Short mmCIF file of all heavy atoms in Angstrom, two decimals:
data_model
loop_
_atom_site.label_atom_id
_atom_site.label_comp_id
_atom_site.label_asym_id
_atom_site.label_seq_id
_atom_site.Cartn_x
_atom_site.Cartn_y
_atom_site.Cartn_z
N TYR A 757 184.84 240.51 237.86
CA TYR A 757 186.22 240.78 238.05
C TYR A 757 186.52 241.36 239.46
O TYR A 757 187.63 241.24 239.92
CB TYR A 757 186.71 241.82 236.99
CG TYR A 757 186.39 243.27 237.34
CD1 TYR A 757 187.24 244.11 238.06
CD2 TYR A 757 185.12 243.78 237.05
CE1 TYR A 757 186.90 245.42 238.36
CE2 TYR A 757 184.79 245.13 237.37
CZ TYR A 757 185.63 245.94 238.06
OH TYR A 757 185.34 247.21 238.40
N ARG A 758 185.52 241.90 240.11
CA ARG A 758 185.70 242.47 241.41
C ARG A 758 185.93 241.45 242.52
O ARG A 758 186.62 241.69 243.54
CB ARG A 758 184.54 243.31 241.77
CG ARG A 758 184.35 244.60 240.88
CD ARG A 758 183.00 245.21 240.93
NE ARG A 758 182.60 245.58 242.26
CZ ARG A 758 181.52 245.09 242.84
NH1 ARG A 758 180.79 244.16 242.22
NH2 ARG A 758 181.25 245.47 244.00
N TYR A 759 185.43 240.18 242.25
CA TYR A 759 185.54 239.19 243.30
C TYR A 759 186.00 237.79 242.70
O TYR A 759 186.09 236.84 243.52
CB TYR A 759 184.21 238.97 244.06
CG TYR A 759 183.98 240.06 245.02
CD1 TYR A 759 183.20 241.19 244.74
CD2 TYR A 759 184.50 239.98 246.34
CE1 TYR A 759 182.90 242.19 245.67
CE2 TYR A 759 184.25 240.98 247.24
CZ TYR A 759 183.47 242.09 246.93
OH TYR A 759 183.29 243.09 247.87
N PHE A 760 186.24 237.71 241.44
CA PHE A 760 186.74 236.45 240.88
C PHE A 760 188.21 236.38 241.02
O PHE A 760 188.98 237.29 240.61
CB PHE A 760 186.33 236.33 239.42
CG PHE A 760 186.73 235.03 238.80
CD1 PHE A 760 185.96 233.85 239.04
CD2 PHE A 760 187.79 234.93 237.94
CE1 PHE A 760 186.33 232.66 238.45
CE2 PHE A 760 188.19 233.71 237.39
CZ PHE A 760 187.45 232.59 237.64
N ARG A 761 188.71 235.25 241.62
CA ARG A 761 190.20 235.20 241.94
C ARG A 761 190.89 234.18 241.07
O ARG A 761 192.10 233.88 241.32
CB ARG A 761 190.36 234.90 243.44
CG ARG A 761 189.65 235.93 244.31
CD ARG A 761 189.77 235.73 245.76
NE ARG A 761 188.77 236.55 246.47
CZ ARG A 761 188.89 237.86 246.70
NH1 ARG A 761 190.01 238.43 246.34
NH2 ARG A 761 187.96 238.48 247.38
N GLY A 762 190.24 233.62 240.09
CA GLY A 762 190.85 232.61 239.23
C GLY A 762 191.44 233.24 237.94
O GLY A 762 191.51 234.49 237.82
N LYS A 763 191.86 232.41 237.03
CA LYS A 763 192.48 232.88 235.80
C LYS A 763 191.30 233.05 234.74
O LYS A 763 190.48 232.17 234.56
CB LYS A 763 193.43 231.83 235.24
CG LYS A 763 194.13 232.23 234.01
CD LYS A 763 195.17 231.14 233.56
CE LYS A 763 195.84 231.55 232.26
NZ LYS A 763 196.80 230.48 231.84
N VAL A 764 191.27 234.20 234.13
CA VAL A 764 190.22 234.48 233.14
C VAL A 764 190.84 234.39 231.75
O VAL A 764 191.98 234.37 231.51
CB VAL A 764 189.64 235.87 233.35
CG1 VAL A 764 189.07 235.96 234.77
CG2 VAL A 764 190.58 236.95 233.07
N LEU A 765 189.90 234.36 230.75
CA LEU A 765 190.35 234.32 229.37
C LEU A 765 190.62 235.72 228.86
O LEU A 765 191.69 236.03 228.34
CB LEU A 765 189.23 233.64 228.51
CG LEU A 765 189.59 233.21 227.13
CD1 LEU A 765 190.69 232.21 227.14
CD2 LEU A 765 188.33 232.65 226.45
N PHE A 766 189.61 236.64 229.07
CA PHE A 766 189.76 238.03 228.70
C PHE A 766 189.15 238.89 229.83
O PHE A 766 187.96 238.64 230.25
CB PHE A 766 189.09 238.41 227.39
CG PHE A 766 189.59 237.64 226.19
CD1 PHE A 766 188.84 236.64 225.61
CD2 PHE A 766 190.89 237.90 225.73
CE1 PHE A 766 189.34 235.95 224.50
CE2 PHE A 766 191.37 237.22 224.58
CZ PHE A 766 190.61 236.19 224.02
N PRO A 767 189.90 239.77 230.46
CA PRO A 767 189.41 240.49 231.61
C PRO A 767 188.47 241.63 231.30
O PRO A 767 188.41 242.12 230.19
CB PRO A 767 190.69 241.04 232.24
CG PRO A 767 191.65 241.27 231.06
CD PRO A 767 191.29 240.12 230.13
N PHE A 768 187.77 242.00 232.31
CA PHE A 768 186.84 243.19 232.23
C PHE A 768 187.66 244.40 231.85
O PHE A 768 188.83 244.63 232.26
CB PHE A 768 186.22 243.51 233.61
CG PHE A 768 185.41 244.79 233.67
CD1 PHE A 768 184.09 244.73 233.35
CD2 PHE A 768 185.99 245.97 234.01
CE1 PHE A 768 183.33 245.91 233.38
CE2 PHE A 768 185.31 247.11 234.07
CZ PHE A 768 183.98 247.09 233.73
N GLY A 769 187.18 245.28 230.94
CA GLY A 769 187.83 246.42 230.49
C GLY A 769 188.86 246.25 229.38
O GLY A 769 189.47 247.20 228.87
N TYR A 770 188.96 244.97 228.89
CA TYR A 770 189.99 244.59 227.97
C TYR A 770 189.57 244.88 226.50
O TYR A 770 188.35 244.68 226.21
CB TYR A 770 190.34 243.10 228.13
CG TYR A 770 191.33 242.59 227.15
CD1 TYR A 770 192.70 242.71 227.26
CD2 TYR A 770 190.84 241.84 226.02
CE1 TYR A 770 193.61 242.15 226.37
CE2 TYR A 770 191.75 241.25 225.10
CZ TYR A 770 193.13 241.45 225.27
OH TYR A 770 193.99 240.91 224.41
N GLY A 771 190.48 245.23 225.69
CA GLY A 771 190.22 245.34 224.23
C GLY A 771 191.48 245.81 223.53
O GLY A 771 192.14 246.76 224.00
N LEU A 772 191.76 245.27 222.39
CA LEU A 772 192.90 245.60 221.63
C LEU A 772 192.69 246.71 220.57
O LEU A 772 191.49 247.01 220.22
CB LEU A 772 193.43 244.32 220.87
CG LEU A 772 193.96 243.14 221.77
CD1 LEU A 772 194.27 241.99 220.91
CD2 LEU A 772 195.01 243.58 222.67
N SER A 773 193.70 247.21 220.05
CA SER A 773 193.68 248.27 218.99
C SER A 773 194.67 247.85 217.90
O SER A 773 195.45 246.90 218.08
CB SER A 773 194.08 249.61 219.66
OG SER A 773 194.31 250.59 218.58
N TYR A 774 194.55 248.52 216.78
CA TYR A 774 195.50 248.31 215.66
C TYR A 774 196.76 249.14 215.89
O TYR A 774 197.66 249.14 215.07
CB TYR A 774 194.81 248.65 214.33
CG TYR A 774 193.81 247.71 213.85
CD1 TYR A 774 192.76 248.10 213.00
CD2 TYR A 774 193.75 246.34 214.26
CE1 TYR A 774 191.82 247.24 212.54
CE2 TYR A 774 192.82 245.48 213.87
CZ TYR A 774 191.83 245.94 213.00
OH TYR A 774 190.86 245.05 212.53
N THR A 775 196.79 249.94 216.93
CA THR A 775 197.98 250.63 217.32
C THR A 775 198.31 250.28 218.73
O THR A 775 197.71 249.43 219.37
CB THR A 775 197.75 252.17 217.14
OG1 THR A 775 199.01 252.84 217.26
CG2 THR A 775 196.82 252.71 218.18
N THR A 776 199.40 250.90 219.27
CA THR A 776 199.84 250.59 220.62
C THR A 776 199.88 251.88 221.47
O THR A 776 200.14 252.97 220.90
CB THR A 776 201.21 249.98 220.62
OG1 THR A 776 202.13 250.72 219.83
CG2 THR A 776 201.18 248.54 220.03
N PHE A 777 199.62 251.78 222.74
CA PHE A 777 199.67 252.95 223.63
C PHE A 777 200.58 252.69 224.79
O PHE A 777 200.66 251.60 225.31
CB PHE A 777 198.25 253.23 224.16
CG PHE A 777 197.20 253.56 223.07
CD1 PHE A 777 196.37 252.60 222.56
CD2 PHE A 777 197.17 254.83 222.56
CE1 PHE A 777 195.42 252.90 221.64
CE2 PHE A 777 196.24 255.15 221.57
CZ PHE A 777 195.38 254.22 221.10
N VAL A 778 201.36 253.70 225.16
CA VAL A 778 202.21 253.64 226.31
C VAL A 778 201.82 254.68 227.33
O VAL A 778 201.59 255.86 226.93
CB VAL A 778 203.69 253.87 225.85
CG1 VAL A 778 204.61 253.93 227.09
CG2 VAL A 778 204.16 252.72 224.94
N TYR A 779 201.75 254.24 228.58
CA TYR A 779 201.35 255.15 229.65
C TYR A 779 202.54 255.74 230.40
O TYR A 779 203.50 255.04 230.68
CB TYR A 779 200.44 254.41 230.71
CG TYR A 779 199.07 254.13 230.31
CD1 TYR A 779 198.72 253.32 229.19
CD2 TYR A 779 197.98 254.72 230.96
CE1 TYR A 779 197.43 253.05 228.78
CE2 TYR A 779 196.68 254.51 230.62
CZ TYR A 779 196.40 253.63 229.52
OH TYR A 779 195.10 253.43 229.10
N GLY A 780 202.42 257.01 230.72
CA GLY A 780 203.43 257.62 231.67
C GLY A 780 203.00 257.31 233.05
O GLY A 780 202.11 256.52 233.35
N GLN A 781 203.64 257.97 234.03
CA GLN A 781 203.39 257.82 235.43
C GLN A 781 202.14 258.63 235.86
O GLN A 781 202.10 259.88 235.63
CB GLN A 781 204.56 258.25 236.30
CG GLN A 781 204.36 258.08 237.79
CD GLN A 781 204.22 256.61 238.19
OE1 GLN A 781 204.93 255.79 237.63
NE2 GLN A 781 203.31 256.31 239.11
N PRO A 782 201.05 257.97 236.29
CA PRO A 782 199.87 258.72 236.71
C PRO A 782 200.07 259.56 238.00
O PRO A 782 200.86 259.09 238.85
CB PRO A 782 198.87 257.64 236.90
CG PRO A 782 199.63 256.36 237.23
CD PRO A 782 200.93 256.47 236.56
N THR A 783 199.33 260.58 238.14
CA THR A 783 199.29 261.40 239.29
C THR A 783 197.81 261.61 239.71
O THR A 783 196.90 261.49 238.93
CB THR A 783 199.96 262.78 239.18
OG1 THR A 783 199.25 263.49 238.11
CG2 THR A 783 201.40 262.54 238.78
N TYR A 784 197.62 261.97 241.02
CA TYR A 784 196.25 262.18 241.50
C TYR A 784 196.23 263.52 242.29
O TYR A 784 197.07 263.80 243.11
CB TYR A 784 195.75 261.02 242.38
CG TYR A 784 194.45 261.32 243.05
CD1 TYR A 784 193.22 261.11 242.33
CD2 TYR A 784 194.36 261.74 244.33
CE1 TYR A 784 192.04 261.35 242.90
CE2 TYR A 784 193.08 261.98 244.93
CZ TYR A 784 191.99 261.75 244.22
OH TYR A 784 190.72 262.04 244.76
N ALA A 785 195.23 264.37 241.91
CA ALA A 785 195.09 265.58 242.72
C ALA A 785 193.67 266.12 242.38
O ALA A 785 193.14 265.99 241.32
CB ALA A 785 196.12 266.65 242.25
N ASP A 786 193.05 266.66 243.49
CA ASP A 786 191.73 267.35 243.34
C ASP A 786 190.69 266.44 242.69
O ASP A 786 189.87 266.88 241.85
CB ASP A 786 191.88 268.64 242.52
CG ASP A 786 192.84 269.64 243.09
OD1 ASP A 786 192.85 269.68 244.33
OD2 ASP A 786 193.57 270.27 242.34
N GLY A 787 190.69 265.17 243.03
CA GLY A 787 189.71 264.26 242.61
C GLY A 787 189.83 263.76 241.16
O GLY A 787 188.95 263.19 240.62
N LYS A 788 191.09 263.97 240.62
CA LYS A 788 191.27 263.54 239.21
C LYS A 788 192.59 262.83 239.12
O LYS A 788 193.61 263.22 239.77
CB LYS A 788 191.24 264.76 238.29
CG LYS A 788 189.95 265.60 238.28
CD LYS A 788 190.10 266.77 237.34
CE LYS A 788 188.87 267.64 237.30
NZ LYS A 788 188.67 268.34 238.59
N VAL A 789 192.64 261.86 238.23
CA VAL A 789 193.91 261.20 237.82
C VAL A 789 194.33 261.81 236.53
O VAL A 789 193.54 262.00 235.58
CB VAL A 789 193.72 259.68 237.65
CG1 VAL A 789 194.88 259.02 236.86
CG2 VAL A 789 193.58 259.01 239.00
N GLN A 790 195.63 262.16 236.43
CA GLN A 790 196.18 262.55 235.19
C GLN A 790 197.31 261.57 234.74
O GLN A 790 198.09 261.17 235.56
CB GLN A 790 196.76 264.00 235.26
CG GLN A 790 195.77 265.05 235.39
CD GLN A 790 196.33 266.52 235.36
OE1 GLN A 790 197.53 266.68 235.71
NE2 GLN A 790 195.58 267.47 234.90
N VAL A 791 197.30 261.27 233.47
CA VAL A 791 198.35 260.37 232.90
C VAL A 791 198.60 260.73 231.48
O VAL A 791 197.66 261.00 230.71
CB VAL A 791 197.91 258.92 233.13
CG1 VAL A 791 196.62 258.56 232.36
CG2 VAL A 791 199.06 257.98 232.76
N GLN A 792 199.86 260.69 231.13
CA GLN A 792 200.31 260.91 229.74
C GLN A 792 200.19 259.63 228.99
O GLN A 792 200.72 258.63 229.38
CB GLN A 792 201.77 261.43 229.71
CG GLN A 792 202.14 262.06 228.40
CD GLN A 792 201.78 263.55 228.30
OE1 GLN A 792 201.44 264.13 229.35
NE2 GLN A 792 201.89 264.13 227.18
N VAL A 793 199.52 259.64 227.88
CA VAL A 793 199.33 258.44 227.07
C VAL A 793 199.83 258.74 225.60
O VAL A 793 199.43 259.73 224.98
CB VAL A 793 197.85 257.96 226.98
CG1 VAL A 793 197.73 256.69 226.15
CG2 VAL A 793 197.34 257.78 228.40
N THR A 794 200.73 257.86 225.15
CA THR A 794 201.35 258.11 223.88
C THR A 794 200.95 256.99 222.84
O THR A 794 201.03 255.81 223.27
CB THR A 794 202.91 258.10 224.01
OG1 THR A 794 203.31 259.11 224.89
CG2 THR A 794 203.53 258.35 222.66
N ASN A 795 200.57 257.37 221.71
CA ASN A 795 200.26 256.43 220.64
C ASN A 795 201.57 256.17 219.95
O ASN A 795 202.09 256.95 219.13
CB ASN A 795 199.22 257.00 219.67
CG ASN A 795 198.84 256.04 218.50
OD1 ASN A 795 199.55 255.11 218.24
ND2 ASN A 795 197.71 256.33 217.93
#
Side-chain angles (χ1 to χ4, degrees):
Y757 79 95
R758 293 162 56 243
Y759 282 96
F760 182 78
R761 305 180 194 279
K763 183 180 179 181
V764 304
L765 194 62
F766 300 110
F768 174 90
Y770 176 83
L772 298 175
S773 170
Y774 290 153
T775 190
T776 52
F777 298 98
V778 173
Y779 282 65
Q781 182 63 40
T783 61
Y784 175 79
D786 300 323
K788 301 180 182 68
V789 165
Q790 288 188 334
V791 62
Q792 195 85 13
V793 183
T794 302
N795 182 340

